[in-house]
Amino acid sequence: MFQTGYILNRRADFLWFITLPFLAIAAGLAGQKWLPITAAASVGLWITTPHHFATWIRTFGFRDEWQRWRLPLIVGPVLIFTAIWLGLTWSPLTVAMLVMLWDHQHSLMQQYGFSRIYDFKAGTGSASTARFDLALNWILYFNMFFVSPYWTQIWVMELFSWKVPLNAAVVQGIHWVSWTITIVFLVIYLGHSIRTVRQGHRINPMKLLFLGSSYFMWYFIAWFSTSPLLYMIAHRIMHGVQYDVIVYSYIQRKVGKTKGVRRLMAEIARPGRAYVFILFGLLYALVFAFLVGNELTDFGLGLLNFNIPYDSLPELGIKHVVSFSKYDLFALTMINAVALVHYYYDSFIWKVRDTKVQTGL
Amino acid sequence: MQVKTSVIYLLLILGVATVFASFEVLVIHEGFEKKSTHTQQPQVMDAIAATYHQIYPQRPMSHYVRGAIAFKQQRFGEAEKHFIEAIERQGTQENMLYDYAVNLVIQRARQEEVDQAIRAWQRNYPDSKRPVPQMGEPPPAGDSEMYLRGVDALRAQDFEVAKRCFEAEIATGTRTEQLLYNYALTLVLHKEDAKTIESAIALWREHFPNSQRQDPRIAVAQALSPSSEP
């Protein structure tokens, strides 16, 4: 019935893919209790920014991948930066919605991708398991988004901003529908798993453990976050670190199987040279921080802020608290557009069914 | 084929975003504003507060929104209670901490209390660009009730009442800089005709030719411009 397969190896998988979400919760809870809110910006700088660097090095570091994906690799950033610059100037609500929704889709697709790698490694699951796993990830993730207190308050505010008429009854109705769909689908997924076994296929228990720990973390923090800190610390640690781990593993394995690899990639892939990969990521984070300056504190916090309804209090010397300069616009464009380019690249460079990608898995 | 699909995927996303952006610019924004002010309208804020409170009465944000509404309606004591509730429930969003401090300053609370609130805000947001909330100059001794009513109305953005109060005070012969400047400022905010504004500014400059204050027309234009330096 079960066939165990690992992405890296037994010990590393338990550390990075099973235990890490619980460690991330602990870090998030400690941060929420003892750290100032700007700690979220620090996590953004030292975890999220280097994980963007991992995308750039994984994408541009291999000649074959650069030649294969040249068109979207060039066109993507040009279109995205232009769209974000214009959007922040003229339609900030659209930018906020785009970034938030794409971020959610990107997060759930990463966990889906890992679950596919688990099946690929163990040779488990039937032909239809990929589709069921995809639906499972979408339904579990968006149920969390629709029904958790943390996210409900955010999407309710967003919809009010879009002039959508809402009240408590409508919101509770959405919660009820979402839970119903989720519970029904979980029963269907269980049925699919039983049928898969009866057909002679096996199930990789590591995949189930991995999905269980990931969604436990997301659901836990979405219910127990009283400020953005818990969510941002825990989510960013899990997402960013797991991404860095798979990219480093991919580079090492691909370098071992590919000829004519660039010198930098060969250097990074040498045994015991993970620190070079980490150092480059941190250096990139420093350069990025220098470029966007203090705006790093807006690393996602702006999205979650609700501005009080006064524009200025002249007697207190308080001016328009939501205004921003051209430099702020540049910095916010950088933060948002770089994130979107990362989401976009990931949408096509990681296809587990792609035989060229399989050489690095 | 995969390359083509990846480009189409991006174009599709940006196309849908463009539809939303057009809708936002044409329908959601108010007039020539570059942002939506919909959630700042009293009835919408009431709807948000009611929705939050019915679903999550214990969440910090539910209390904060109630506090923001009370603040806007100048019920500062009630606002304070809600802001405290939000902060005690571990609410650490900048607006909660900052508005609590602003609210204390406006109420002229004890300095110790104000300092504590400001420290809590600064500890969480050490890089914030918002100015430290503090009363500018203390009102000169002997400010009349009429002038203070005008200042309150100006804070509440009730420019019609502010204008009437300041005019009544000027009619009594008072010529303090604060009064003349605030009168000119009120006329600009009230969008009076250029000639009336010019004459109020001339009165202020006549009595205070060495004033370091900025022309109220420029001050208002800068404060309301989305591209102004904060």
Side-chain angles (χ1 to χ4, degrees):
Chain A
M1 179 178 169
F2 290 116
Q3 172 70 49
T4 305
Y6 300 104
I7 293 176
L8 304 170
N9 56 56
R10 182 186 163 86
R11 188 191 291 180
D13 274 26
F14 270 101
L15 174 61
W16 300 119
F17 298 113
I18 311 297
T19 311
L20 183 69
F22 299 98
L23 298 177
I25 289 175
L29 285 172
Q32 183 166 266
K33 190 164 176 60
W34 289 303
L35 294 179
I37 194 95
T38 41
S42 300
V43 176
L45 175 63
W46 299 116
I47 304 281
T48 304
T49 308
H51 110 285
H52 292 162
F53 170 77
T55 305
W56 315 146
I57 198 162
R58 180 242 180 276
T59 314
F60 294 100
F62 292 107
R63 275 197 196 92
D64 61 328
E65 303 222 10
W66 161 245
Q67 280 161 1
R68 182 181 181 195
W69 299 111
R70 191 158 40 194
L71 179 66
L73 290 181
I74 294 171
V75 170
V78 173
L79 290 178
I80 289 171
F81 271 79
T82 309
I84 295 297
W85 181 277
L86 292 173
L88 284 171
T89 307
W90 294 100
S91 54
L93 284 179
T94 302
V95 172
M97 185 178 69
L98 174 66
V99 174
M100 183 166 73
L101 291 180
W102 206 345
D103 183 23
H104 287 308
Q105 185 262 4
H106 170 75
S107 299
L108 78 90
M109 289 304 279
Q110 179 166 308
Q111 303 317 92
Y112 166 67
F114 282 126
S115 65
R116 297 309 312 134
I117 298 174
Y118 270 120
D119 272 344
F120 167 71
K121 291 286 193 156
T124 46
S126 65
S128 60
T129 298
R131 282 200 300 277
F132 276 90
D133 280 349
L134 182 63
L136 178 73
N137 277 278
W138 273 88
I139 289 171
L140 282 180
Y141 193 95
F142 274 95
N143 181 55
M144 183 270 297
F145 179 76
F146 283 128
V147 304
S148 67
Y150 180 77
W151 287 111
T152 296
Q153 291 201 320
I154 290 171
W155 63 254
V156 163
M157 184 62 77
E158 287 298 307
L159 289 179
F160 269 111
S161 299
W162 283 94
K163 298 188 178 176
V164 176
L166 278 181
N167 57 45
V170 173
V171 176
Q172 283 161 339
I174 292 169
H175 287 181
W176 187 84
V177 170
S178 183
W179 272 122
T180 306
I181 291 171
T182 304
I183 290 165
V184 168
F185 184 78
L186 284 174
V187 173
I188 292 172
Y189 189 84
L190 182 66
H192 163 75
S193 300
I194 292 168
R195 203 179 68 170
T196 299
V197 172
R198 283 188 180 158
Q199 285 173 345
H201 301 287
R202 293 186 174 193
I203 291 171
N204 186 352
M206 286 300 290
K207 179 179 87 172
L208 300 180
L209 273 176
F210 165 74
L211 288 174
S213 64
S214 300
Y215 281 94
F216 174 80
M217 189 206 79
W218 273 329
Y219 273 68
F220 182 91
I221 60 180
W223 254 268
F224 292 96
S225 284
T226 51
S227 78
L229 204 54
L230 170 59
Y231 192 89
M232 288 188 173
I233 290 179
H235 167 73
R236 283 171 176 171
I237 287 176
M238 180 179 85
H239 179 82
V241 172
Q242 288 182 346
Y243 188 85
D244 287 340
V245 167
I246 192 66
V247 169
Y248 187 67
S249 158
Y250 180 88
I251 290 172
Q252 275 199 314
R253 286 175 177 167
K254 182 157 176 170
V255 165
K257 294 176 191 169
T258 314
K259 287 178 183 169
V261 171
R262 287 189 172 124
R263 205 170 142 192
L264 173 68
M265 300 300 271
E267 187 63 28
I268 287 174
R270 279 171 55 190
R273 289 298 179 100
Y275 72 88
V276 179
F277 177 71
I278 294 168
L279 278 178
F280 270 112
L282 297 180
L283 186 66
Y284 168 81
L286 280 177
V287 173
F288 189 79
F290 176 74
L291 268 178
V292 302
N294 288 334
E295 300 309 317
L296 269 176
T297 49
D298 284 329
F299 225 118
L301 298 179
L303 185 67
L304 306 172
N305 256 338
F306 168 59
N307 285 302
I308 197 170
Y310 58 67
D311 278 345
S312 62
L313 290 170
E315 286 292 303
L316 272 64
I318 296 172
K319 291 204 295 182
H320 206 294
V321 293
V322 293
S323 62
F324 55 84
S325 66
K326 290 285 180 213
Y327 177 72
D328 296 333
L329 179 62
F330 161 76
L332 287 174
T333 302
M334 284 293 290
I335 291 169
N336 289 295
V338 165
L340 291 193
V341 172
H342 159 75
Y343 305 155
Y344 175 55
Y345 283 2
D346 274 359
S347 71
F348 57 86
I349 60 175
W350 296 105
K351 298 280 184 203
V352 179
R353 65 176 178 276
D354 187 334
T355 50
K356 287 176 182 160
V357 173
Q358 287 173 3
T359 57
L361 296 177
Chain B
M1 184 61 191
Q2 284 176 319
V3 170
K4 196 176 161 190
T5 309
S6 63
V7 175
I8 291 171
Y9 173 74
L10 178 63
L11 292 176
L12 195 65
I13 287 174
L14 294 181
V16 173
T18 305
V19 172
F20 274 92
S22 308
F23 182 76
E24 182 184 341
V25 171
L26 295 173
V27 180
I28 306 299
H29 293 188
E30 318 294 334
F32 292 104
E33 287 283 326
K34 288 182 186 174
K35 61 185 178 61
S36 169
T37 53
H38 186 63
T39 51
Q40 298 179 4
Q41 291 172 9
Q43 70 277 16
V44 179
M45 289 192 69
D46 282 337
I48 294 169
T51 306
Y52 277 6
H53 258 271
Q54 275 181 269
I55 306 173
Y56 305 120
Q58 302 302 323
R59 301 282 296 178
M61 190 54 131
S62 306
H63 287 280
Y64 170 72
V65 179
R66 283 260 158 102
I69 292 170
F71 181 92
K72 190 175 186 185
Q73 293 168 349
Q74 297 191 60
R75 290 182 276 115
F76 299 121
E78 188 188 332
E80 185 181 337
K81 280 182 200 156
H82 286 299
F83 289 154
I84 290 173
E85 290 266 11
I87 293 167
E88 281 179 348
R89 287 176 162 78
Q90 291 191 305
T92 49
Q93 293 203 17
E94 182 166 17
N95 287 322
M96 293 178 191
L97 302 173
Y98 187 75
D99 297 341
Y100 174 55
V102 168
N103 192 55
L104 287 177
V105 172
I106 284 181
Q107 291 188 93
R108 299 185 186 280
R110 283 185 301 115
Q111 194 57 42
E112 195 184 320
E113 231 180 319
V114 173
D115 289 345
Q116 201 178 355
I118 291 173
R119 274 200 300 275
W121 160 60
Q122 287 178 329
R123 190 181 82 84
N124 276 284
Y125 297 91
D127 302 324
S128 176
K129 291 179 187 169
R130 299 184 185 192
V132 175
Q134 58 190 2
M135 276 298 173
E137 302 157 20
D143 267 351
S144 71
E145 197 182 318
M146 185 59 77
Y147 169 70
L148 292 175
R149 270 177 57 197
V151 170
D152 284 344
L154 177 60
R155 278 186 197 145
Q157 301 186 21
D158 189 346
F159 305 126
E160 185 60 42
V161 171
K163 180 186 156 197
R164 277 206 306 273
C165 292
F166 292 146
E167 281 174 349
E169 185 62 21
I170 290 169
T172 66
T174 307
R175 291 294 182 268
T176 61
E177 180 173 15
Q178 198 74 5
L179 169 65
L180 299 182
Y181 186 82
N182 280 342
Y183 175 55
L185 184 68
T186 303
L187 295 182
V188 175
L189 289 166
H190 197 229
K191 297 186 170 66
E192 293 285 337
D193 63 79
K195 201 174 164 187
T196 312
I197 293 170
E198 186 55 55
S199 112
I201 290 173
L203 183 67
W204 159 56
R205 285 199 170 129
E206 181 193 332
H207 285 83
F208 300 93
N210 299 320
S211 174
Q212 298 296 307
R213 289 172 187 260
Q214 199 174 24
D215 185 314
R217 289 169 293 201
I218 297 169
V220 169
Q222 284 184 352
L224 297 182
S225 161
S227 60
S228 67
E229 291 289 343

